[in-house]
Amino acid sequence: MQIIDGKKRAAELRKHYEKAVQKLKDQNIQPKMQVITVGDDPASQVYVGQKEKMAKRIGFDFDWQKLDEKSTQEELMHLIQQTNEDPSIHGVIVQLPLPDHLDSQKVMDGIDPKKDIDGFHPYNVGRLMLGDDTLVPCTPRGILNLLDEYNVTIPGADVAIIGRSKIVGQPLANLLINRGATVSVLASRTKDVKYYTKNADIVIVAVGKAHLIDKSHLKEGAVVIDVGINRLDNGKLAGDVDFESAKQVASAMTPVPGGVGPMTVAMLMEQAIICACQQNNLDATALLKEAMDE
């Protein structure tokens, strides 16, 4: 079985992104992203720290705006509007989850879609549905990048996605459909999960339940992408897939940790570069290709 190494792929991409950012700097464009957090959610602090580390490493300016947990919707929206109007900021993230008294969808709607490096704005979601996947949620984009890097055939493939969240399952289904796959999206009310997974060439699991899927769910030679990350009672991390069981039949699989997670952060950087290019009337595809060919 082949390990689909997201950590290794993300490290390779980081080197390309460093070159891409330098090309922007050579044209007097200093890319900058801003992250807004509300409150002190421990997981959010870790995630933003990871984003800050990678952003600075590839040459981005990084601004972290920390709002008090009791901040109002109006205060948050005012900060987003300031960010939208600041030409020096090319990409913005409002780190989720937000405190319960804040309307997350209103927040996503308020971000300038041209600066929406998370890919959550309704405009960008609509573009994805139409086949224009320029800015999309970063975890699905990272999964697609891994499948391509490891030469997994997508056109004509039968794919089972377990989990239909708006952040992973639904946008990933659209990305794969746009690439010619036949996709089944499974959820808690799906009557017979194994009916779909046993017939799938690619199985992608994004539920948040440790060891939900094992070899009995898979056909021989399936490619397995595990998006879940769960902490067990012994303190260790585990995916939604029982790795030791599934590896007996899978042809390729992502580990947890070190699989999809690093790719999510990498794709955030790529989309920030795309936004910086678009806001300066540059061809992002050409610039990234040139950086990757060097």
Side-chain angles (χ1 to χ4, degrees), residues 8-291:
K8 177 183 177 183
R9 177 59 176 160
E12 293 170 350
L13 288 170
R14 187 188 68 240
K15 295 177 182 178
H16 298 315
Y17 298 156
E18 289 173 358
K19 295 176 183 177
V21 170
Q22 186 57 53
K23 291 180 182 298
L24 289 172
K25 290 181 177 180
D26 290 344
Q27 299 182 62
N28 297 316
I29 300 166
Q30 173 56 59
K32 181 178 180 180
M33 70 170 65
Q34 182 182 84
V35 176
I36 300 170
T37 55
V38 183
D40 298 312
D41 178 71
S44 293
Q45 301 296 311
V46 172
Y47 295 148
V48 176
Q50 293 171 342
K51 295 167 185 176
E52 180 178 28
K53 182 179 179 180
M54 189 167 186
K56 289 182 175 179
R57 189 164 184 177
I58 67 173
F60 264 79
D61 283 347
F62 189 93
D63 181 38
W64 186 347
Q65 292 287 326
K66 302 178 182 181
L67 296 182
D68 184 85
E69 186 174 3
K70 296 182 180 179
S71 296
T72 65
Q73 188 85 38
E74 290 71 23
E75 289 170 331
L76 177 54
M77 300 307 295
H78 178 67
L79 178 55
I80 292 171
Q81 187 59 36
Q82 287 181 319
T83 301
N84 289 342
E85 295 172 356
D86 187 342
S88 73
I89 298 173
H90 301 101
V92 61
I93 304 161
V94 178
Q95 186 68 38
L96 302 177
L98 293 171
D100 291 341
H101 69 281
L102 298 175
D103 185 335
S104 298
Q105 189 57 57
K106 185 176 180 181
V107 169
M108 296 301 106
D109 293 352
I111 295 172
D112 184 339
K114 297 189 296 295
K115 298 186 178 186
D116 172 35
I117 53 178
D118 261 334
F120 294 156
H121 191 281
Y123 174 85
N124 290 321
V125 174
R127 297 301 303 179
L128 170 58
M129 290 290 292
L130 294 172
D132 176 3
D133 50 17
T134 302
L135 296 175
V136 300
C138 294
T139 297
R141 188 186 189 104
I143 291 169
L144 210 62
N145 190 289
L146 281 176
L147 293 174
D148 286 340
E149 175 65 14
Y150 282 82
N151 299 311
V152 178
T153 300
I154 295 175
D158 290 317
V159 182
I161 300 174
I162 306 176
R164 57 180 181 87
S165 75
K166 295 178 182 178
I167 296 174
V168 180
Q170 291 187 40
L172 179 56
N174 281 295
L175 282 170
L176 291 166
I177 290 168
N178 292 346
R179 291 280 296 272
T182 300
V183 182
S184 299
V185 181
L186 318 181
S188 59
R189 295 185 179 181
T190 300
K191 294 178 181 178
D192 187 353
V193 169
K194 286 186 179 180
Y195 170 80
Y196 296 94
T197 58
K198 289 283 286 186
N199 289 285
D201 304 302
I202 304 170
V203 176
I204 302 165
V205 194
V207 177
K209 185 174 181 180
H211 299 162
L212 177 67
I213 300 300
D214 59 26
K215 67 179 182 180
S216 70
H217 293 82
L218 308 171
K219 76 174 184 180
E220 190 74 33
V223 173
V224 181
I225 305 294
D226 190 350
V227 184
I229 185 162
N230 311 279
R231 191 168 294 280
L232 303 177
D233 291 340
N234 61 11
K236 293 184 178 181
L237 296 177
D240 290 352
V241 177
D242 184 336
F243 187 89
E244 293 303 316
S245 173
K247 75 178 185 181
Q248 298 175 39
V249 296
S251 63
M253 185 162 49
T254 57
V256 175
V260 174
M263 292 299 295
T264 299
V265 179
M267 293 299 101
L268 192 72
M269 300 303 125
E270 182 167 308
Q271 296 202 148
I273 292 169
I274 291 170
C275 286
C277 288
Q278 291 181 337
Q279 290 163 44
N280 287 277
N281 298 313
L282 298 175
D283 186 333
T285 301
L287 183 138
L288 284 165
K289 185 178 187 303
E290 185 179 346

